[in-house]
Amino acid sequence: MEPITLAYIGIGLMIGLSGIGSAFGVTIGGNAAIGAMKKNPDAFGSYMILSALPGTQGLYGFAGYFVFANFGTALSPDITMLQAAAIFGAGLALGVVGLFSAIRQGQVGANGIAAIGAGYDVFGNTLILAVFPELYAIVAFASAFLINGAIQ
């Protein structure tokens, strides 16, 4: 296998897994919002914000491609096996973290949406708790950025 192939497999995993996680996360929140609107349709703005939060992990995966493609020249036909392995590892790490953090963030948001629908004022608290899974996606994205800098 050529080193560039390994690097692009890592890029594909990064984009694909984080996108899948975001799709699951926003669906979990969206399903909860539909149920909550039956009880309290006036809080749709809160439902929408909490449902959309898991979408950011997919954006981190997408932005990761630009980190490897634009900040430096490692992602080229002249790439070494060591550079390709680093890109593969960074892509896999960001993809897996994005996948699970988006799903878990969707679950936190869904619980908050259900509580808001039941009449509890928990939007702010839910938003704070939903940021915790996001933190790990940000750390994974920052790690991909740092790995790209280390292999230049």
Side-chain angles (χ1 to χ4, degrees), residues 72-128:
T73 57
L75 199 55
S76 71
D78 300 331
I79 190 171
T80 67
M81 185 53 93
L82 181 63
Q83 290 171 321
I87 291 172
F88 176 82
L92 181 63
L94 179 54
V96 170
V97 171
L99 172 71
F100 288 109
S101 69
I103 291 170
R104 291 303 193 176
Q105 191 175 47
Q107 292 170 335
V108 170
N111 284 327
I113 289 168
I116 293 168
Y120 295 99
D121 183 20
V122 296
F123 175 73
N125 292 339
T126 303
L127 200 58
I128 291 168

